[in-house]
Amino acid sequence: VDSTAYFHLARVQSKRMQHSSAIESIKRALELSPRRVDFHFEMGRILRDAGKLNEAIEAWKMVNQLAPQRADAYESLGLVYLEKMQVPEAIAAFQEALKADASIHRIYASLGDCYFAESRWDEAIALYMKALKLAPSLKQLPYKIARAYSEKGSHAQAIDWYKKAAVEDSSNSMSWYYLGYAYKEKGRRKEAISAFSVYLRKKPEADERKMLEDEIYDLQHER
């Protein structure tokens, strides 16, 4: 059996969630063809799916050594670092990915997530905006921009982006939840009550129901 056969077998086993078998198959492929970049990349993906994040990191680092211009390997590395909350390492990986290919909108968004995690709101917003410019139909970005504005304390801008997020990604009811609080911060009580009420209609079993019902009551009775 040649290395390519083991490679394809590993992919099939991985899709079937047969992680141990997939790892053994991709290892056999690499024993036969140790410098195949696509095999090392697949090794990283299989290890990540198996929850072996540290080993996945080493596999993608090998891709970086063999093919320094592969943005997808740096991106994958950054995502694993971010999952492990190793934010500085994730930032470095995403920056390398952008050096390799500055046209991939996902990388700007992921780098924005890193800066959000570090409370670097302006940098996060700028990167989310860049990602949105490259991919205007990416419906989760307005919500991320709104959250960054909220955390920054820029509630007027947050309101505009939460409203946009609520329209463009109607499946994300959290836009209404945070919109209510942004309105509350601006003293716009009726609009806050309306936003909280929409959230509760969308999520009737929400854990926050009692808290938001109390919020609505207080807003209705404020003088």
Side-chain angles (χ1 to χ4, degrees):
V1 180
D2 65 14
S3 61
T4 302
Y6 280 116
F7 170 76
H8 289 300
L9 177 61
R11 300 189 77 175
V12 170
Q13 291 167 329
S14 180
K15 286 179 181 177
R16 293 176 178 171
M17 308 295 285
Q18 298 169 351
H19 299 305
S20 296
S21 298
I23 291 168
E24 288 307 311
S25 294
I26 197 66
K27 282 182 178 178
R28 292 295 300 275
L30 280 166
E31 286 170 3
L32 294 168
S33 300
R35 297 192 64 80
R36 281 284 298 269
V37 174
D38 52 338
F39 290 6
H40 285 285
F41 188 91
E42 189 67 14
M43 170 70 91
R45 190 193 64 75
I46 289 169
L47 289 166
R48 179 204 61 202
D49 290 349
K52 298 179 181 291
L53 300 186
N54 291 332
E55 293 175 56
I57 286 170
E58 294 308 312
W60 281 318
K61 282 183 176 179
M62 179 59 71
V63 177
N64 298 154
Q65 290 178 28
L66 295 172
Q69 294 307 308
R70 275 199 63 157
D72 55 353
Y74 285 114
E75 181 186 9
S76 298
L77 193 58
L79 290 170
V80 172
Y81 278 133
L82 191 55
E83 187 176 344
K84 288 167 62 65
M85 288 310 296
Q86 294 177 229
V87 179
E89 291 85 351
I91 289 172
F94 290 133
Q95 288 174 337
E96 289 297 324
L98 288 174
K99 287 179 188 176
D101 188 342
S103 69
I104 303 175
H105 64 80
R106 299 184 310 272
I107 301 172
Y108 291 100
S110 296
L111 189 52
D113 292 342
C114 292
Y115 289 135
F116 188 99
E118 291 194 333
S119 303
R120 294 161 65 176
W121 314 123
D122 288 333
E123 290 163 285
I125 290 165
L127 285 159
Y128 291 147
M129 293 285 198
K130 177 68 174 178
L132 191 61
K133 184 177 180 180
L134 290 170
S137 63
L138 210 60
K139 60 185 181 180
Q140 68 267 36
L141 283 173
Y143 175 76
K144 291 188 174 192
I145 293 168
R147 291 290 301 122
Y149 274 124
S150 279
E151 293 296 330
K152 183 184 174 183
S154 300
H155 300 294
Q157 291 97 325
I159 286 168
D160 290 340
W161 284 98
Y162 282 130
K163 289 164 68 176
K164 185 177 178 66
V167 171
E168 295 192 8
D169 188 6
S170 59
S171 64
N172 183 8
S173 55
M174 294 306 294
S175 296
W176 293 101
Y177 176 87
Y178 286 113
L179 178 59
Y181 280 107
Y183 278 135
K184 182 183 175 183
E185 289 288 342
K186 297 298 289 182
R188 296 164 66 173
R189 288 184 291 170
K190 288 183 180 179
E191 290 156 302
I193 291 167
S194 177
F196 287 142
S197 299
V198 171
Y199 175 75
L200 291 175
R201 285 199 299 273
K202 284 179 165 288
K203 290 193 69 175
E205 305 301 321
D207 293 338
E208 306 90 353
R209 171 167 286 278
K210 179 64 169 64
M211 179 184 72
L212 289 184
E213 287 173 342
D214 290 344
E215 288 277 12
I216 290 170
Y217 179 87
D218 290 342
L219 287 164
Q220 287 171 333
H221 293 84
E222 275 183 10
R223 292 184 179 180

